Amino acid sequence: APRIAGRAGDRLSAAVPLLEVPAVPLLEVASLAFIAALVLTPLTRRLARATGFVDHPDRRKAHAQSTPLLGGVAVGLALVSGALFARAVGSSDIEPPRIGIVVGASIALLLGLLDDRLSLGPRSKLLGQALAGACLVWWGTHVEPVRQNPILGFLALLGVVTLLNAINFLDNMDG
């Protein structure tokens, strides 16, 4: 039922509906994030080349030429832009992310950038991945048993660290 303007007892209240903001369907938000990624990827590629943020070929790499880095920045910005667009143009089924998701994702992105620039050792990477995973598991989830049960929390953390490590191992593919 539409919301009605006016106060109770006001004769016009039944006749004048308030302006309702339409919900932005998730498919439109995903489409915008995809378009943003298509636009941002070449921009971050140019930025990477201009700042020397490139991966150079070596014997363990699949690429034969210098490959620009910063692709994770483009993807992260595209995801954020889709959600911000949904909030800006209307109501959305997308709720704002919990702080643990934002902090964990930021740590993972920063860790990737630092590793690309400084070639971090395995212990530093593992520590950063565990920190990012801990933020996600204990501050970023709505699943109470995972947050309250130390064994389930540890298993979830182990899963996140394993996935982050698997993504890190793909470094030799394209930069």
Side-chain angles (χ1 to χ4, degrees):
R3 297 182 335 200
I4 306 299
R7 294 178 297 237
D10 185 348
R11 284 186 233 216
L12 295 176
S13 65
V16 183
L18 282 176
L19 177 64
E20 289 196 29
V21 179
V24 179
L26 294 177
L27 186 58
E28 290 178 14
V29 175
S31 298
L32 179 74
F34 178 73
I35 291 167
L38 289 176
V39 170
L40 290 169
T41 299
L43 296 176
T44 57
R45 182 184 310 127
R46 279 190 223 123
L47 178 64
R49 287 192 194 281
T51 59
F53 222 90
V54 295
D55 189 40
H56 301 287
D58 68 19
R59 61 185 174 90
R60 72 174 194 94
K61 307 279 177 143
H63 54 88
Q65 304 170 3
S66 292
T67 302
L69 300 169
L70 301 181
V73 173
V75 170
L77 289 173
L79 289 171
V80 169
S81 69
L84 290 177
F85 170 76
R87 290 279 175 204
V89 300
S91 65
S92 174
D93 292 336
I94 299 174
E95 64 181 66
R98 293 177 68 136
I99 190 70
I101 293 173
V102 173
V103 172
S106 298
I107 290 170
L109 180 61
L110 181 63
L111 183 66
L113 291 172
L114 287 172
D115 185 35
D116 286 343
R117 184 56 96 185
L118 305 174
S119 295
L120 299 176
R123 286 188 183 133
S124 298
K125 288 185 220 179
L126 191 60
L127 179 65
Q129 292 166 349
L131 184 60
C135 291
L136 174 65
V137 170
W138 282 288
W139 294 341
T141 180
H142 291 287
V143 183
E144 290 304 318
V146 170
R147 295 173 66 191
Q148 294 172 353
N149 183 321
I151 295 171
L152 290 177
F154 176 76
L155 290 174
L157 176 60
L158 185 63
V160 171
V161 170
T162 300
L163 289 172
L164 287 172
N165 235 311
I167 292 167
N168 187 55
F169 282 136
L170 295 176
D171 255 359
N172 71 339
M173 300 307 264
D174 64 355

